[in-house]
Amino acid sequence: LDVSEFPDIVYFIPCPKSPHGCDVDPTGEYIVGSGKLAALIPVFSFDKLQKAISENNFEAEKYNGIPVVKYEAALYGEVEKPGLGPLHTEFDGKGNAYTSFFVSSEVVKWNIKDLKVLDRQPT
């Protein structure tokens, strides 16, 4: 599809440092956008993303003609210092997330609601 012919069909959310994974929790509310060279994990809110789109809360510049939602407008929060090189995140359906890290070679368990690291295991 040529997005220039179908406005409002797709939007970007900014993800830091070489975006790699984009994973959605079982509720559909939380979107984890990992940047494989980032030292944090941004967690976006689907509801906030929808609100930002309806309010045209976009960055001034488009990327290849596609609107980019402002980072803060869609952000639920950030997991601080989870490890180095977050890749993909899986969910247990009990409010926990498990993210693999390629630089620090580990899997880190963290809570989706409070964004706190709970455990880590080397890989």
Side-chain angles (χ1 to χ4, degrees):
L1 296 174
D2 181 351
V3 296
S4 66
E5 294 179 22
F6 300 96
D8 302 321
I9 194 170
V10 67
Y11 301 91
F12 283 121
I13 50 176
C15 187
K17 306 285 183 181
S18 297
H20 188 79
C22 185
D23 306 291
V24 180
D25 86 306
T27 69
E29 173 57 19
Y30 303 102
I31 304 162
V32 179
S34 296
K36 67 182 178 183
L37 298 177
L40 57 78
I41 301 172
V43 180
F44 300 97
S45 161
F46 182 78
D47 290 338
K48 288 180 80 173
L49 180 60
Q50 294 300 307
K51 182 179 180 199
I53 291 168
S54 70
E55 294 176 353
N56 291 316
N57 199 347
F58 303 120
E59 297 291 340
E61 301 233 356
K62 292 182 177 184
Y63 181 80
N64 287 337
I66 299 171
V68 179
V69 175
K70 288 186 178 177
Y71 184 79
E72 294 79 15
L75 187 68
Y76 171 73
E78 298 172 333
V79 180
E80 299 285 335
K81 300 182 182 179
L84 297 173
L87 296 175
H88 291 286
T89 301
E90 295 293 333
F91 306 91
D92 64 8
K94 299 174 186 174
N96 299 309
Y98 302 82
T99 302
S100 59
F101 290 81
F102 87 100
V103 175
S104 55
S105 296
E106 59 188 331
V107 174
V108 174
K109 178 181 179 181
W110 52 277
N111 182 274
I112 299 168
K113 298 278 183 177
D114 68 16
L115 306 172
K116 301 290 182 201
V117 172
L118 303 173
D119 195 10
R120 59 183 72 241
Q121 293 295 318
T123 58

